[in-house]
Amino acid sequence: MSVSGNVLAVETLAKAFGGVQAVGGVSFHVDSGERVALIGPNGAGKTTLFNCVNGQLRPDAGTVRIGGHNVTGHPPHRIWRHGVGRTFQITATFTSMTVLENVQLALASADGAATGLGRRLGKRYLEQAGELVELVGLTARGDDATVELPYGDLKRLELAVAMTNQPSLLLMDEPTAGMAADARGSMMDLVDLMVAERGVAVLFTEHDMDVVFGHADRVIVLDRGMVIAEGTPDEIRADENVQAVYLGSFDGDEAAV
Amino acid sequence: MLRMRFRTYLTTAVAALLTVFSASIVNAQQDPIRIGEINSYTGPLASFTVPYRNGWQLAVEEINAKGGVLGRKLEVISRDDGAKPADAVKFAEELVRREKVDLIAGTFLSNIGLAVADFAQRNKVLFVAAEPLTDAIVWAKGNDYTFRLRPSTYMQAAMLAEEAAKLPAKRWATVAPNYDYGQSAVKAFQDVLKGLRPDVEFVEQQWPALFKLDAGATVQALALAKPDAIFNVTFSVDLAKFVREGQLRGLFKDRQVVSVLTGEPEYLDPLKGEAPEGWIVTGYPWQGIESAAHTAFLDAYSKRFDDYPRAGSIVGYNTILTIAAMLEKAGSTDTQAMVAAMKNLELDTPFGPITYRAIDHQSTMGAYVGRTAKVDGKGVMVDFRYANGADYLPDDATVRKLRPGK
Amino acid sequence: MSFIVVQAITGLASAASLFLIAVGLSIVFGVTRVVNFAHGSLYMLGAYLAFSFVAAFGDSFFGYLAAMLLAAIVVGGVGAVMETSLLRRIYRAPELFQLLATFGVVLVIQDLTRLIWGADDRFAPRMPGLDGSINILGHAVPQYDLFLISVAFVVLGGLWLLFRHTRFGVLVRAATEDREMVAALGVDQRWLFTGAFILGATLAGLGGALQIPRQAVGLSMDLNIIVDAFVVVVVGGMGSIIGAFVAAVLISELLAFGVVIFPQITLVLIFLVMAVTLVLKPSGLFGRPEFTTAEDRRNPDPPLRAGQGLSRIFWWSLLVIGLAAPLAVGDFAVIVLTEIAILALFAASLHFLLWGGGLITFGHAAYFGLGAYGSGLAVFHLSMGMAPALLMAPLAGAAGALLFGWFCVRLSGIYMAMLTLAFAQIAWSATFQWVNFTGGDNGILGIWPSAWASDPVVFYYLAFGVCAAVIWGLRHAIFSPFGYTLRATRDSSLRSAAIGVDVTRHRWLAFTLAGAAAGVAGGFFAFAKGSVFPDVLFVSTSVDGLVMVLLGGMQSLAGPILGAIVFTEIETELTRLTDLWQLFLGLLIIGLVVVLPHGLAGLSALIRRRSS
């Protein structure tokens, strides 16, 4: 079943909440090194679909395969073991730890050492952590408490943490949400760098259409739980269905929401 | 900043240690005879232990007014265990090691009595257990250093079973708090009654949790079994609930009730106008005891505390009388001499003469058995007689079996 | 058949009492998120006041009724004082600190009540006009029972009207469902909180006052009712009024019929109901999932800086003082020091869960007690010597934690706390009532140290050595990847799962580890005292542990140690000096919470602020 190059394969995935079909039989795939954006109006089922993929929700039907492994209904921590890194719409970091400790702990977990009672975490994984922190440009803040970081830096930290298990797939829920417009570009440049340097594939949801069209190789559009369009940014821009759903044009500077 | 934090830690730690240290400076005055006393003076048990404390205070004052014992005054160093066995043991340690007391006395709850008794054996200290009722303290877990004053659960139950056997009732129900005291009392009552009356049967047993009696439901459940008579072991707040619900629901109509300790003022008086009539009980009818010894005690107590004595007061008073008599007999405060003196110790008390049995270290102090009645809207005991404790203990062969190692 | 009907009515009367006490607790929790331990004390106060008022003017039906209502109003006033003078100052403090403060109030009210009314039980007369019984299907049913049932319905209806049709009620409901929203509406929260607390206190007072025609008033009323009230609130769902009602009926009817079928089980039944409810429906029958999850902790801790110069000196000096102390102090002080070493380990193991894992447990005594019983039973039934019996202690503690923890770690916040409490109370009931195995209330005696360790100083060194080693082990665990992962699950369970941590399993492991450590402490406690009794598992032991941790300071690893030292000293000395030690201890706790919300270990921060 595993198709070479398919990092993520979703087939006829469905999820309903109390009779409301949030996702109704969606299929798509993400290839190695590919950046795929998942968009759609509010209530289209993006979040539900995303959470079915990352393990926070158990789908009613359909399958999710990561690197050829059927992971349907697996909890998030097991999905991670298949090489999936995640960032959240509202950042989730370990607030009582320093920037470096956040990354060190994730590295320890990747190493299967997160439940170890032996040696202190102390300086373990410090070198690797330093590299990742440097990669996202936070070297100067390595020993600072996470709570002291500005929001944009927290997003960067999340990315560093997400990269600790050398993932083949990054799941990014609104990677630029809550960031100032000028910071969004540099955040996404960083993501592009990960793709280029580490060969990771990215599936992300996003409201900012500049980000979507500037940084996605392929776009999947959801509406009422169904895929209504799929293609390159140019194809999507031209798609009448999509335009109808969004009640407007994607051209211009305004991000349609 | 870290220096500051460290300094704070250190100051606190040192201060704490200094407290331990300074308090431990031995304060041993050889002059008075020092009696360590432990009881549960705070919390829900205070209503029982405060009259007890009055009792021993009165005895100490009387004895010291007459010049004390062996030419030395008595001094009681009293501690509140807060009804926790572990704290009672801690204070036993404190009294023996820091206060250098010559012996220990007191305790009310059975488990605390047992814990302190075990401590006494281990540390070879004499322990006069004043109030705990449990049979184990002189029998199953009896030891060389522990003597008990108050008539035990078994003795109380046996006194009542004797009366119960005279009743026509054949179908019995029991209600008792579900812990050692309730269980032992029911078992002793059943054993003795069945011995006297093989034809009786026990048709219903209710075991409410201590102080959590669900009175209405329990009363209904008892009534459902249609017993001829009921044996009650509940006390305090449980008893009040049980009496009121039972009367409202007609449980006691045409039924005999036999009830442990209910004749003690501690238990009977709070019921006031609701006090049951005609129950067969053990207790302390302080108004009606006419012996000279008791009248003297009653007068002295009423004068000293402007209150009437409770059963606990007698126990507290007799505890100190016991210790004084024992010291006179022993002639010293050497523990082995005191232990030897306790065996077969005879003394006079407001209840009459009592003896501490050598065989099981139980005193023969008895209790009054009678019926409850209402006089002037208050519960009292009538038709009572003094049941001498010596008559309600098993024969020596049985006691030897009950008390291993003796 | 007639029996069933009458028994159901009897159960309903008990349900009415239970509902009246629980509903106020539920409202207060819903609005303020304060778990008010003193609710039972307000109930007791209501009963005592009503008793006095009835004695003064309760000789007619209306006089009696007025006496009960007046008592409720006075208790409402006491609640107002308590809220404005104490709770208002600490809403921003960590939740557990609020709990500690209300526990201080419990101690104060207990002693004040004894001072005012004395220690004797007080039994009020029956209520005039409702002093008889009526015949239902051939059974006599007290008239007052029916009155009580109708009062419960009147209160239920009144609360319904209040919450639907008044601005105050709407705001209370809104605050229960979403605190932020009320803040956003621009409502003065202080007024709302005070109002809700007065309502809750008045209901507690009313609940107590309405009991006096049924039961004697005594000093054990407060702690006797509070645990049951918690159970009702939790089973019904925190903040839900109808939930409190349904839960009260469910529990009371189960008890009423349980008495007939299994007369011995009554003590356990109520906790079994709670445990089953929480396992099946974690937020109670009518509750909503709690919003305050570990993710939005109000005061994130600073990063842990391990073993830096002066902190290291603190730990070393503690070790040196601990080793040197017996040479300088008297016999009894050595025994107190032994107890301190043991309780410091107990507190440290609790702190490991509370602070390290953000796992709030009200039932840590279970594992301490299981350790004590593990050793005690090994001596008693298997005639083991001290060393092997002590080895049984961590095994017993860990086994209990493994079993109970599996259920508990699936919940969070206050529901988890309540489930831990339920399991601890079940364990306590079992030791209390399973006489053949545990010796019941009379406990297990004769658990004394082996001959070589029988000298108090030798035993102290043994206890100190082992307890210090285990405390060091727990401290090491905090700095190991295991401890970081534990703190990670506390900081953000979402992120933890996203880096491959099985959050539930990790919490379970931590629970078990802490249970084993508490078990070690329990084993030594048994040998230090020579005996074990069920009260080692009782809720008061858990509360003592919480007091030690919070007294010392939650956010410092030294906190539980300092807390154990100070608490044991204060308790030992105060109880020696005065009968009113509960009053003083309570005032001390309250003062501490208000002045030092970060515990003794937070003293340095306070001094820094003052001096700058």
Side-chain angles (χ1 to χ4, degrees), chain C residues 357-398:
Chain C
L359 303 171
I360 301 176
T361 162
F362 285 0
H364 206 52
Y367 315 106
F368 182 73
L370 283 172
Y373 269 95
S375 286
L377 292 170
V379 171
F380 182 67
H381 286 298
L382 307 172
S383 309
M384 279 192 189
M386 180 180 74
L390 278 174
L391 283 176
M392 298 304 289
L395 294 179

Side-chain angles (χ1 to χ4, degrees), chain C residues 239-586:
Chain C
S240 166
I241 287 165
I242 190 72
F245 187 79
V246 171
V249 171
L250 177 75
I251 288 171
S252 299
E253 292 295 350
L254 273 174
L255 281 175
F257 288 98
V259 154
V260 184
I261 303 161
F262 322 99
Q264 311 247 19
I265 202 179
T266 47
L267 205 53
V268 185
L269 191 66
I270 180 165
F271 297 108
L272 279 179
V273 170
M274 173 152 97
V276 169
T277 307
L278 285 180
V279 168
L280 296 180
K281 197 153 185 322
S283 47
L285 296 177
F286 291 82
R288 296 154 185 277
E290 214 180 351
F291 290 107
T292 45
T293 54
E295 260 94 31
D296 52 29
R297 287 158 44 82
R298 274 167 268 180
N299 304 309
D301 292 333
L304 206 55
R305 312 279 184 190
Q308 285 179 349
L310 289 167
S311 139
R312 182 171 294 182
I313 293 176
F314 165 75
W315 288 96
W316 280 110
S317 35
L318 204 65
L319 186 66
V320 169
I321 293 170
L323 287 172
L327 308 174
V329 300
D331 266 4
F332 176 63
V334 168
I335 280 158
V336 174
L337 283 174
T338 309
E339 190 166 321
I340 287 175
I342 293 166
L343 292 178
L345 173 56
F346 175 54
S349 70
L350 177 61
H351 179 259
F352 184 76
L353 290 180
L354 288 176
W355 175 80
L359 303 171
I360 301 176
T361 162
F362 285 0
H364 206 52
Y367 315 106
F368 182 73
L370 283 172
Y373 269 95
S375 286
L377 292 170
V379 171
F380 182 67
H381 286 298
L382 307 172
S383 309
M384 279 192 189
M386 180 180 74
L390 278 174
L391 283 176
M392 298 304 289
L395 294 179
L402 201 65
L403 177 65
F404 298 157
W406 192 86
F407 297 99
C408 296
V409 297
R410 281 163 167 70
L411 305 183
S412 66
I414 200 67
Y415 291 101
M416 177 185 175
M418 287 299 148
L419 190 59
T420 54
L421 175 66
F423 281 124
Q425 293 297 96
I426 289 170
W428 169 73
S429 312
T431 53
F432 194 72
Q433 295 188 337
W434 191 4
V435 177
N436 292 334
F437 184 62
T438 63
D441 187 49
N442 279 353
I444 305 168
L445 302 175
I447 316 165
W448 295 103
S450 301
W452 63 269
S454 62
D455 184 85
V457 175
V458 176
F459 186 75
Y460 165 73
Y461 278 119
L462 181 69
F464 177 79
V466 174
C467 291
V470 179
I471 290 172
W472 180 84
L474 286 172
R475 189 179 137 75
H476 176 80
I478 283 289
F479 286 102
S480 73
F482 184 95
Y484 272 88
T485 306
L486 185 61
R487 281 197 295 138
T489 63
R490 174 198 73 185
D491 285 356
S492 170
S493 60
L494 197 63
R495 168 52 66 198
S496 303
I499 62 162
V501 173
D502 185 340
V503 173
T504 309
R505 180 167 156 269
H506 200 79
R507 284 181 173 156
W508 190 30
L509 288 175
F511 209 85
T512 308
L513 194 67
V520 172
F524 275 100
F525 192 73
F527 279 101
K529 299 293 177 187
S531 47
V532 193
F533 298 95
D535 72 325
V536 292
L537 297 114
F538 197 59
V539 59
S540 51
T541 306
S542 298
V543 171
D544 284 354
L546 285 171
V547 172
M548 286 178 225
V549 171
L550 298 172
L551 195 66
M554 261 283 259
Q555 290 174 323
S556 159
L557 292 173
I561 319 293
L562 288 177
I565 295 171
V566 173
F567 182 77
T568 310
E569 270 307 313
I570 288 176
E571 209 197 33
T572 307
E573 294 308 317
L574 265 187
T575 45
R576 251 164 44 85
L577 294 174
T578 168
D579 268 7
L580 295 176
W581 61 273
Q582 297 192 88
L583 179 68
F584 290 108
L585 186 62

Side-chain angles (χ1 to χ4, degrees), chain A residues 39-41 44 213 220-224 226-231 234-250:
Chain A
I39 65 166
F213 293 134
I220 298 167
V221 187
L222 281 185
D223 186 39
R224 293 178 207 168
M226 304 293 283
V227 175
I228 59 162
E230 186 176 346
D234 287 342
E235 286 164 7
I236 294 301
R237 225 188 290 254
D239 190 303
E240 286 175 15
N241 273 342
V242 176
Q243 291 187 359
V245 165
Y246 273 82
L247 294 170
S249 156
F250 290 136

